[in-house]
Amino acid sequence: MTRIYIPRDSSALSLGAEKVAKAIAEHAARHNVAVEIIRNGSRGMFWLEPLVEVETPAGRIAYGPVDVADVPSLFAADFVNGGAHALKLGATEELPWLKQQERLTFARVGITDPVSLTDYLAHDGYRGLQNALALQSAEIVQQVTDSGLRGRGGAAFPTGIKWKTVHDCKADQKYIVCNADEGDSGTYSDRMIMEGDPFVLIEGMTIAALAVGATQGYIYLRSEYPHALAVLNEAIQHAREKHYLGPNILGSGHAFELEVRRAAGAYVCGEETSLLESLEGKRGLVRFKPPLPAIEGLFGKPTVVNNVISFASVPIILDKGGAFYRDYGMGRSRGTLPIQLAGNIKHGGLVEKAFGVTLRQLLYDFGGGSATGRPIRAVQVGGPLGAYLPESQFDTPLDYEEFSKLWAVLGHGGIVAFDDTVDMAKMARYAFEFCAIESCGKCTPCRIGSTRGVEVMDKIMQGRDLAQNIALVRDLSDTMLNGSLCALGGMTPYPVLSAINHFPEDFGLNKKAQAA
């Protein structure tokens, strides 16, 4: 019986993985070839999807991208035994894209059956929880603090400090909330974890519950992720059946229940207080802070709110210790970051690297340059509110503080590339337009400022009163940056001003006049 791995990841499905799996199963049955098809997560090499892997005595052999029409020739080439074929890529683990990564959070993605608890346990799953159960709650918090883990959702707030705040609060009820409303452009790492290794998220949230004394958790899931919803619910059911969730976790006396809730479909609900409002059944409006959610969060109770990658990073920290995780990275940016390459890029996909890798390495060593073959002129890092970085800044290492020096953000690790045909004035206008559409409307700088920004950008693009209107955009940006209630309005100036500062020629300015 030969095991054949075909991804069930959304990206692979969109490229025909379901049809390929069906064709392989039918061909094998018709020709009496004994195969077992396992639907794994994606390895993150999206330009090679559907990627089909065959388990051989020498390890897994990869073929891709496989189309339905390729199936007969694959069997004719004896691919079930690793036979030679035009689509044969070789040993999966030896592919440069994977071999040059440091996969800690994504260690199992693409390797295991996502909904098999047995498979998860066989690949070091729940070792972190076992260790956590032997510790006092404060010791769990200390391990996370020692690891240097910072929020991977974009704010980069130290996770240990947030957990300690909730731990120290006295309350009859505490909550764990996972922000899985992944809405930034060019981001998909949360989705890949939820579809490809859901148990690592469940385990991370369970450890968080032990650390702070919470008994109820919620995964606030992006409404556009139906495959993640199905996988998460199946995994939660398996975990509950085997007592990794429920009233008495592994006989420890600790209780933790977990539910998935569909998000409202609003970008602003990615902001933690707006998310909590939505989770409570209200309209997703940003709350005033203080009080912080760690003190008065869901239903007014102390609440840990972290994103998917933050929680998914916790099991390996509790398994191997905070020092192990801290030894990756640079400066105050410790551990690894799942980086998502998108846009005009030849090899788009997920790369997990320790902090310190440069944009240039990611764009060219992993991404292979632009898909069009033209020079990459700009990249936007950190979603639709991230700054645009020119080629002169491509040697910047991925590090929270290094990006801050450039007045830029790492955000959720999404990188969107643009070649030299991009019109940066249009991109700046889009930032204002995006904010105007997605604003919750609670604060004036965001609600009105974004709409006025679109109007002024239209005048600039028509060449009207350039000096006056550029000055007006800067003044408007200053108001939004310093007066908005949350990061939606507060960060919209990042893409706008970076586009003007780095690409003045697209706004009818010359660099000399811009510098003056």
Side-chain angles (χ1 to χ4, degrees):
M1 180 74 70
T2 301
R3 287 182 175 174
I4 299 176
Y5 295 81
I6 305 171
R8 60 185 292 173
D9 177 272
S10 293
S11 294
L13 293 178
S14 71
L15 293 166
E18 197 66 42
K19 293 178 180 178
V20 169
K22 183 180 179 182
I24 288 176
E26 289 177 348
H27 194 99
R30 197 160 52 244
H31 293 85
N32 296 316
V33 180
V35 300
E36 178 188 2
I37 295 177
I38 297 172
R39 306 306 299 275
N40 58 327
S42 173
R43 295 278 194 161
M45 300 177 286
F46 290 141
W47 75 99
L48 295 175
E49 293 290 3
L51 183 75
V52 175
E53 296 179 67
V54 180
E55 192 173 85
T56 73
R60 289 195 199 176
I61 304 298
Y63 296 81
V66 176
D67 188 74
V68 170
D70 300 315
V71 172
S73 64
L74 282 168
F75 275 94
D78 194 29
F79 91 112
V80 294
N81 291 307
H85 188 277
L87 296 178
K88 183 177 180 179
L89 302 168
T92 312
E93 299 296 337
E94 295 301 313
L95 297 177
W97 174 276
L98 290 175
K99 198 169 184 180
Q100 295 172 25
Q101 297 186 38
E102 291 88 44
R103 289 209 163 191
L104 302 184
T105 306
F106 277 73
R108 280 172 295 269
V109 177
I111 295 175
T112 59
D113 176 350
V115 292
S116 170
L117 181 55
T118 301
D119 214 358
Y120 184 69
L121 293 171
H123 290 80
D124 298 340
Y126 278 117
R127 287 182 15 174
L129 178 61
Q130 293 279 6
N131 290 340
L133 286 169
L135 299 174
Q136 296 296 316
S137 58
E139 293 175 312
I140 301 173
V141 173
Q142 192 59 49
Q143 285 278 11
V144 174
T145 302
D146 292 344
S147 74
L149 178 66
R150 294 164 72 176
R152 298 292 189 249
F157 187 81
T159 305
I161 294 176
K162 181 181 288 189
W163 287 21
K164 188 176 189 307
T165 303
V166 179
H167 172 275
D168 291 347
C169 286
K170 305 300 180 187
D172 58 351
Q173 177 68 57
K174 297 179 183 180
Y175 295 102
I176 306 295
V177 174
C178 176
N179 183 349
D181 193 17
E182 184 176 50
D184 282 351
S185 48
T187 58
Y188 42 82
S189 61
D190 289 359
R191 176 188 60 73
M192 285 184 66
I193 281 287
M194 292 185 288
E195 293 179 359
D197 191 14
F199 288 110
V200 78
L201 172 59
I202 296 168
E203 182 181 2
M205 293 182 70
T206 308
I207 292 170
L210 294 175
V212 303
T215 56
Q216 179 66 50
Y218 296 97
I219 299 173
Y220 186 81
L221 177 68
R222 185 180 181 187
S223 58
E224 295 90 346
Y225 283 174
H227 299 293
L229 176 66
V231 172
L232 283 169
N233 279 331
E234 186 175 350
I236 287 171
Q237 181 61 30
H238 291 324
R240 190 175 288 118
E241 288 170 356
K242 297 299 182 182
H243 307 293
Y244 288 96
L245 288 173
N248 187 19
I249 296 171
L250 298 180
S252 66
H254 293 284
F256 184 59
E257 292 289 351
L258 185 58
E259 296 179 30
V260 182
R261 295 290 176 89
R262 297 288 293 274
Y267 180 79
V268 75
C269 285
E271 192 277 334
E272 62 179 0
T273 64
S274 183
L275 181 157
L276 294 174
E277 288 286 294
S278 177
L279 198 53
E280 290 177 5
K282 305 171 189 173
R283 181 182 172 193
L285 294 176
V286 176
R287 295 177 181 174
F288 292 100
K289 291 188 285 188
L292 297 171
I295 298 170
E296 291 183 27
L298 187 64
F299 303 116
K301 302 296 184 180
T303 305
V304 169
V305 184
N306 281 127
N307 93 313
V308 172
I309 301 300
S310 302
F311 282 124
S313 300
V314 169
I316 197 168
I317 292 170
L318 268 295
D319 176 13
K320 298 185 181 295
F324 170 85
Y325 194 80
R326 188 185 62 231
D327 285 345
Y328 290 85
M330 63 176 286
R332 291 180 52 230
S333 301
R334 311 311 305 177
T336 60
L337 180 69
I339 302 141
Q340 303 117 95
L341 298 178
N344 193 336
I345 197 82
K346 187 177 181 181
H347 295 153
L350 183 127
V351 179
E352 185 175 357
K353 289 287 289 181
F355 287 95
V357 63
T358 67
L359 277 173
R360 195 178 303 277
Q361 289 174 298
L362 291 166
L363 292 168
Y364 292 99
D365 295 351
F366 286 95
S370 71
T372 57
R374 301 179 66 91
I376 296 178
R377 186 185 185 206
V379 292
Q380 187 177 35
V381 184
L385 309 179
Y388 289 103
L389 305 181
E391 196 275 338
S392 61
Q393 295 180 339
F394 286 179
D395 291 314
T396 304
L398 264 67
D399 169 86
Y400 293 118
E401 280 65 46
E402 289 299 315
F403 264 63
S404 182
K405 292 175 185 176
L406 301 178
W407 206 66
V409 294
L410 268 180
H412 191 42
I415 296 176
V416 181
F418 301 84
D419 72 10
D420 60 357
T421 62
V422 67
D423 184 335
M424 296 307 297
K426 289 183 179 179
M427 302 312 297
R429 183 191 185 279
Y430 172 73
F432 277 130
E433 182 184 20
F434 178 85
C435 182
I437 293 170
E438 296 293 347
S439 174
C440 78
K442 189 167 185 177
C443 70
T444 303
C446 177
R447 182 183 71 250
I448 303 299
S450 55
T451 301
R452 293 293 169 262
V454 172
E455 295 170 357
V456 178
M457 279 305 308
D458 283 339
K459 293 176 182 178
I460 291 172
M461 293 168 70
Q462 293 164 11
R464 294 163 54 186
D465 302 321
L466 286 180
Q468 178 182 337
N469 283 317
I470 291 289
L472 185 55
V473 165
R474 291 188 180 280
D475 185 61
L476 188 61
S477 294
D478 184 63
T479 300
M480 293 180 69
L481 180 68
N482 294 295
S484 298
L485 265 178
C486 80
L488 178 56
M491 287 185 62
T492 294
Y494 277 62
V496 174
L497 296 181
S498 61
I500 294 173
N501 293 338
H502 297 307
F503 308 97
E505 61 273 21
D506 288 18
F507 297 81
L509 304 170
N510 60 61
K511 292 184 183 292
K512 185 175 181 180
Q514 175 67 6

